[in-house]
Amino acid sequence: RCPLYVETVKKAKALITDRPVFAGVIGPFSLAGRLMDVSEAMINCYIEPEMVHTVLEKVNLNDKIDKIGDYAFSGCGLLNDVTVPATVSYIGKNAFYGAAALNEGFVFANGDTALTIGDYAFYGVGIENIVIPARTTTIGDYAFATSAVNPVTVSTEKISAYAFMDCVNLEKVIITPAVKKIGVYAFEGCISLSTFGVETVTAANTIDLSGIEQLGAMSFAHLLDTVNYNVISTLSNTVLANAFVK
């Protein structure tokens, strides 16, 4: 429905020229609605935009929250300070999609609650150095695709399809021995990738797949276009050829 709302607002603004047009879509401004009602937020976007900007920069999630819903903070381009409580067991689809300003202010609190990260949850976010909690059991498709992550540490059994696709700044991926499967196109287009493997792997242009039992097609596609990697693996040459397609 959002595209329809946006188009309606555009048309209203074009037709109404003698006074301000106050219109909005529940989404980014619903965050401000936690500190002021939505009508106030809309008016303040016009008369006190700097104040609303400040409100939208930070989200406090208390430790009673166990889920972050689908699309919860999608499109919140100003958001830069979020701590995910240890009690959270689910981060929904598209939850932080496009939150480009989110970086050092993003923290996963330590905890034991099993965590699922949904599809596209952090697609296009500005987060750089990130340790995905060891309690994470699932990383959804496209979960961190096109984001600024670098480096990244992963402990899940499977890195899902397209999970880090086109993360062009990603230079180092640290995996724990728990990681056994890498999905199709998982690191396709990660043109800066230099080191992949367990923490002891430090040599540049090295991709250590020693513990990987299942490697998806195109999972490291186009990485060999410009760099000759030292690929360490016990998988068949056919599997590796399909994974590292030029």
Side-chain angles (χ1 to χ4, degrees):
R1 292 179 294 175
C2 285
L4 179 61
Y5 292 155
V6 171
E7 188 61 28
T8 302
V9 171
K10 287 180 179 179
K11 290 180 178 179
K13 189 175 185 299
L15 292 171
I16 303 171
T17 59
D18 61 334
R19 57 193 180 278
V21 176
F22 294 109
V25 178
I26 298 301
F29 295 120
S30 67
L31 297 177
R34 297 178 185 187
L35 300 178
M36 65 186 87
D37 67 44
V38 175
S39 296
E40 286 179 323
M42 292 167 61
I43 297 295
N44 284 327
C45 283
Y46 182 74
I47 62 174
E48 293 188 77
E50 292 185 3
M51 181 269 288
V52 178
H53 184 122
T54 300
V55 170
L56 290 175
E57 284 185 330
K58 184 171 182 176
V59 175
N60 293 315
L61 303 175
N62 65 49
D63 58 10
K64 293 182 180 179
I65 292 175
D66 61 357
K67 294 181 181 179
I68 298 175
D70 298 348
Y71 299 90
F73 304 104
S74 178
C76 293
L78 302 177
L79 187 63
N80 63 25
D81 194 333
V82 177
T83 297
V84 177
T87 51
V88 169
S89 62
Y90 176 75
I91 298 176
K93 298 177 181 178
N94 298 76
F96 293 94
Y97 186 107
L102 198 57
N103 192 357
E104 288 94 346
F106 182 87
V107 178
F108 279 112
N110 293 326
D112 299 319
T113 304
L115 175 65
T116 293
I117 298 175
D119 298 347
Y120 295 90
F122 294 95
Y123 186 99
V125 299
I127 301 170
E128 296 179 6
N129 190 351
I130 185 168
V131 177
I132 299 172
R135 62 191 179 96
T136 306
T137 57
T138 303
I139 298 175
D141 295 351
Y142 295 94
F144 293 89
T146 77
S147 67
V149 292
N150 179 52
V152 64
T153 301
V154 186
S155 302
T156 55
E157 180 183 5
K158 180 179 180 180
I159 300 174
S160 295
Y162 309 93
F164 296 93
M165 185 183 75
D166 289 336
C167 290
V168 296
N169 296 322
L170 183 57
E171 298 177 359
K172 184 174 184 178
V173 177
I174 300 170
I175 61 173
T176 69
V179 179
K180 300 297 181 184
K181 303 175 183 178
I182 298 175
V184 298
Y185 294 91
F187 295 95
E188 190 269 337
C190 294
I191 56 176
S192 300
L193 188 62
S194 175
T195 306
F196 182 102
V198 295
E199 193 166 8
T200 54
V201 176
T202 57
N205 300 333
T206 299
I207 296 181
D208 189 348
L209 303 171
S210 298
I212 303 301
E213 300 172 357
Q214 182 177 317
L215 187 62
M218 307 290 285
S219 52
F220 292 91
H222 305 302
L223 265 66
L224 295 180
D225 291 0
T226 56
V227 177
N228 290 320
Y229 287 91
N230 175 27
V231 179
I232 304 169
S233 176
T234 58
L235 297 169
S236 71
N237 289 334
T238 301
V239 170
L240 292 174
N242 288 335
F244 287 87
V245 170
K246 290 187 178 182

